[in-house]
Amino acid sequence: MLILVYFGSGGNAPFIVFPDADLDKAVEGAIVCKFRASGQTCVCANKILVHESIYDDFAQKLAAKVDKFKLGYGMEEGVTHGPLVSKRGMDKVKEHVEKSVKAGAKVLVGGKAGDGLFFEPTVLVNVGPGAVSASVS
């Protein structure tokens, strides 16, 4: 018997990690899903939802991987992530991070604007429903 189930996951592109997931594979999947083209594609995950029993481990592993990213111009050796495409995009990212932190989220890695249109790849934890990054799809 097949039962069709719908549930609201709070966005049009959530990445969901269940308690029985292989955390290393889940982290790799999240990186591919969220950080492709510096998170600027229409198919990137809008949010990552992780079961509370594995939340801390997943967050630490993800932050450790993201912390190894190298921001810069694509033709430079070792660069993994480039700039955002516009000032509008940069302003939106800054606003999301600032409002999320103000609402109680914690930055594990990144969270700061660099020169030009560069913004550090960022991992936020404890993002509550009041944070703009929790409610924007």
Side-chain angles (χ1 to χ4, degrees), residues 33-113:
C33 192
K34 181 58 194 165
F35 290 98
R36 174 183 301 133
S38 295
Q40 301 176 94
T41 69
C42 63
V43 295
C44 283
N46 289 327
K47 58 192 74 183
I48 300 171
L49 306 173
V50 182
H51 190 273
E52 64 185 346
S53 67
I54 57 169
Y55 185 84
D56 291 334
D57 290 339
F58 178 86
Q60 292 302 319
K61 285 177 180 260
L62 179 63
K65 291 276 188 177
V66 171
D67 196 39
K68 292 179 184 175
F69 291 171
K70 181 179 178 189
L71 209 52
Y73 295 99
M75 301 303 285
E76 293 175 9
E77 182 83 23
V79 167
T80 61
H81 292 78
L84 298 172
V85 297
S86 68
K87 182 178 180 336
R88 183 174 169 225
M90 172 66 101
D91 292 343
K92 182 178 177 181
V93 171
K94 283 198 291 194
E95 177 187 12
H96 283 203
V97 171
E98 288 169 3
K99 285 186 175 181
S100 294
V101 169
K102 195 174 274 189
K106 178 183 174 191
V107 176
L108 285 187
V109 66
K112 295 182 185 126

Side-chain angles (χ1 to χ4, degrees), residues 7 16-23 49-51 53-54:
F7 70 98
I16 303 171
V17 185
F18 292 97
D20 62 346
D22 176 316
L23 287 186
L49 306 173
V50 182
H51 190 273
S53 67
I54 57 169

